[in-house]
């Protein structure tokens, strides 16, 4: 597996990224291996998601948004974001969802970049969900607890 994701509700997801297209042939070793992994995930009671390079590249909005989000996270890499994550999580528990614009209004323009980096880090970890796959990143981007 390339990643094992454990969500805050306790559910688990195994993720794999495939770069070759060998799974089209039913008799290929790649297809047999894929079917074995799906069966193992089912047996373990976890979700299994296969991402292909093609499916990742197909969503241009997701790629563009994550390039920007990663730049924000990289700019904050020398800071501990734990306090920002805690404040953001507390705000989301009371409101259920916030836009980046609302986060900026709540916490101020000066520290907005750190709150945005904290939100994107939590999105990566599966704590939050967002509309980053459907809409361009903006102050209207929605962040909510999973």
């Amino acid at each position: 597996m390339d990643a094992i994701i454990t969500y805050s509700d306790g559910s688990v997801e195994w993720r794999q990224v495939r770069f070759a297209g060998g799974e089209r042939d039913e008799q290929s070793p790649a297809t047999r291996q894929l079917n074995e992994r799906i069966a193992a995930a089912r047996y373990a009671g976890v979700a299994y998601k296969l991402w292909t390079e093609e499916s990742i590249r197909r969503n241009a909005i997701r790629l563009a948004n994550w390039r920007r989000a990663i730049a924000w996270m990289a700019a904050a890499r020398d800071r501990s974001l734990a306090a920002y994550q805690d404040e953001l999580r507390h705000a989301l528990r009371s409101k259920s969802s916030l836009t980046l614009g609302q986060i900026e209004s709540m916490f101020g323009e000066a520290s907005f970049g750190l709150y945005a980096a904290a939100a994107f880090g939590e999105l990566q970890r599966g704590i939050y969900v967002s509309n980053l796959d459907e809409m361009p990143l903006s102050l209207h981007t929605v962040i909510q607890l999973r």
Side-chain angles (χ1 to χ4, degrees):
M1 296 304 113
D2 293 309
I4 298 174
I5 311 297
T6 303
Y7 293 104
S8 57
D9 67 359
S11 61
V12 177
E13 177 180 291
W14 293 350
R15 289 186 188 172
Q16 182 179 12
V17 178
R18 276 275 176 92
F19 296 99
E23 49 280 334
R24 288 187 181 98
D25 177 12
E26 290 296 320
Q27 302 303 315
S28 76
T31 300
R32 284 194 301 273
Q33 184 182 45
L34 175 62
N35 290 335
E36 288 170 5
R37 287 186 177 160
I38 292 169
R42 191 174 300 126
Y43 180 77
V46 300
Y48 178 86
K49 287 199 180 171
L50 175 66
W51 292 11
T52 63
E53 184 178 18
E54 178 184 323
S55 69
I56 291 169
R57 293 185 187 279
R58 195 175 320 138
N59 191 334
I61 290 174
R62 176 191 300 141
L63 289 175
N65 287 344
W66 276 106
R67 280 187 191 108
R68 292 180 61 201
I70 289 169
W72 263 337
M73 292 179 350
R77 72 180 167 270
D78 63 337
R79 304 278 306 263
S80 171
L81 298 177
Y84 300 97
Q85 291 166 340
D86 290 344
E87 286 184 62
L88 197 51
R89 196 173 301 122
H90 180 72
L92 282 166
R93 282 190 181 123
S94 65
K95 300 251 189 206
S96 80
S97 75
L98 294 169
T99 65
L100 289 178
Q102 289 170 318
I103 292 170
E104 182 181 37
S105 295
M106 288 174 74
F107 299 110
E109 188 177 329
S111 57
F112 171 65
L114 295 170
Y115 283 98
F120 295 136
E122 298 287 61
L123 274 166
Q124 267 189 327
R125 285 184 279 290
I127 305 297
Y128 302 152
V129 292
S130 181
N131 59 349
L132 284 177
D133 289 354
E134 298 92 31
M135 302 295 294
L137 183 61
S138 72
L139 292 177
H140 300 290
T141 297
V142 176
I143 308 288
Q144 62 190 80
L145 286 170
R146 179 168 287 285

